[in-house]
Amino acid sequence: DDLIMIHGHEVLVDGYFNGDCHPGNVLMLGVAEGKPQLGLIDYGQVKSLTKAERLRMCKIIIALANDDKKEIVRLMAEAGFKSKSMNEDVIYKYAKVSYDEDNDELTEGKHIQMFMEDLQARDPIDQLPDCYIMVGRTSVMLRGFAHALRQSRSVAKAWAPIAEKVLQSEE
């Protein structure tokens, strides 16, 4: 949970985040001293978001946390996501798997990679907003870490309070 929250702060508040947050870049420090804390290393793939990109991602995260399909699709299109047919179901599922969660119900029982390939076959993606590709990678990696610990997580639900706070501060 701490890892998810740290990366949520990096993405949505700071606009600078580690795009390579795999388990090899996470250390447990201070365990022998009884003061465990996370050590995050190898920020060789730091990515940045502009203020406008951060604010749009905040809106996407909130829409995902609320499972507001219509708003998710609208925001994805506004962000620059384009597919051949602009199939709303495909766009919605792409956003859910990229930025929120993956489970057997959502991925139709398929491995996430196979499911993404199926989405591509249903409605080929013509354009992805470059700025959000690494946000999706970060979300998938964090969830993969959680799955390895047998703990499913919704990144959007975890990040929604951060996103709401960021948007409130911009009003």
Side-chain angles (χ1 to χ4, degrees):
D1 291 335
D2 288 346
L3 279 175
I4 290 172
M5 297 308 287
I6 289 165
H7 286 84
H9 185 91
E10 288 180 350
V11 170
L12 302 174
V13 176
D14 299 333
Y16 295 95
F17 63 98
N18 182 4
D20 194 26
C21 55
H22 63 78
N25 286 340
V26 178
L27 306 173
M28 277 300 295
L29 304 172
V31 175
E33 297 82 13
K35 296 180 181 180
Q37 56 185 324
L38 293 173
L40 306 179
I41 62 170
D42 191 5
Y43 274 64
Q45 287 192 39
V46 171
K47 301 300 173 191
S48 64
L49 299 174
T50 67
K51 181 178 180 180
E53 292 163 348
R54 275 189 314 105
L55 296 178
R56 186 174 297 113
M57 181 51 66
C58 286
K59 292 174 185 175
I60 291 170
I61 290 297
I62 292 167
L64 287 163
N66 293 329
D67 202 28
D68 185 343
K69 183 177 179 177
K70 185 174 182 151
E71 183 68 355
I72 293 165
V73 171
R74 186 189 74 74
L75 288 166
M76 290 292 284
E78 183 182 285
F81 181 94
K82 290 186 177 128
S83 64
K84 184 175 182 177
S85 303
M86 292 302 283
N87 179 306
E88 291 186 0
D89 192 50
V90 169
I91 295 167
Y92 165 78
K93 288 180 179 180
Y94 183 88
K96 288 290 284 182
V97 171
S98 295
Y99 308 117
D100 184 18
E101 65 182 341
D102 57 282
N103 55 54
D104 284 342
E105 182 181 347
L106 179 65
T107 64
E108 301 163 8
K110 298 174 185 154
H111 181 275
I112 190 171
Q113 182 64 39
M114 301 307 288
F115 181 70
M116 295 298 269
E117 289 174 12
D118 281 355
L119 289 180
Q120 177 70 8
R122 288 182 213 171
D123 186 12
I125 298 166
D126 291 333
Q127 183 177 320
L128 283 173
D130 290 343
C131 59
Y132 299 132
I133 291 172
M134 293 305 279
V135 175
R137 183 177 195 273
T138 299
S139 173
V140 170
M141 290 184 108
L142 290 169
R143 294 189 329 255
F145 204 153
H147 287 313
L149 298 171
R150 304 214 183 278
Q151 300 178 17
S152 293
R153 292 291 186 271
S154 163
V155 169
K157 285 182 180 150
W159 289 4
I162 300 169
E164 289 167 356
K165 195 171 185 179
V166 167
L167 291 174
Q168 287 172 357
S169 72
E170 291 298 320
E171 290 179 348

